[in-house]
Amino acid sequence: MFGDMMGMMNKIKETQEKVEATKERLKTVLIDEESSDGLLKITITATREIKNISIADELLEDKEQLEDYLVLTLNKAISRASEVNEAELGAVAKEGMPDIPGMDMFK
């Protein structure tokens, strides 16, 4: 039983290290999102850090329209980044879960 416990602890430690490595890698994963007409383009990392915003000149003429575009497009980008982030981290965490009787809800 003690050997099983040590193996489980080692597996948990390995999983923690993989999760941290995945978090670092996600900082470099870029997600591009744009408005439906392509006038506003946003690049964001999977950790939800905005890297670039490109705005067509015609949007600069209408403050309200630009604000609407920013809100909608940023929300879409953040949503996509969150999905990628959760999927990647979830896969690593699930892979590293030890087999504990009665704890098969992650499978």
Side-chain angles (χ1 to χ4, degrees):
M1 180 170 162
F2 186 69
D4 290 344
M5 186 66 115
M6 287 301 293
M8 199 178 335
M9 295 303 287
N10 285 338
K11 190 166 187 173
I12 290 172
K13 185 177 181 199
E14 286 176 26
T15 300
Q16 288 173 331
E17 290 170 358
K18 286 181 182 178
V19 166
E20 289 306 313
T22 300
K23 285 180 180 178
E24 285 301 310
R25 185 179 58 76
L26 287 172
K27 291 179 182 178
T28 66
V29 173
L30 298 179
I31 297 164
D32 294 316
E33 188 62 61
E34 65 180 57
S35 60
S36 57
D37 56 9
L39 296 178
L40 178 70
K41 297 177 183 177
I42 294 174
T43 301
I44 188 171
T45 67
T47 56
R48 299 170 209 85
E49 181 181 348
I50 297 168
K51 290 293 189 178
N52 188 49
I53 297 177
S54 174
I55 303 169
D57 290 340
E58 59 200 82
L59 280 180
L60 297 176
E61 298 168 9
D62 186 343
K63 181 179 183 274
E64 275 187 43
Q65 184 181 16
L66 175 56
E67 290 170 342
D68 289 343
Y69 270 61
L70 282 168
V71 169
L72 291 171
T73 309
L74 279 167
N75 282 335
K76 284 187 344 187
I78 291 168
S79 178
R80 284 188 53 210
S82 295
E83 289 170 8
V84 169
N85 191 300
E86 291 169 17
E88 292 284 327
L89 290 175
V92 171
K94 183 178 177 182
E95 172 189 312
M97 285 297 296
D99 293 325
I100 301 172
M103 295 291 289
D104 58 357
M105 63 186 143
F106 293 108
K107 295 185 178 189

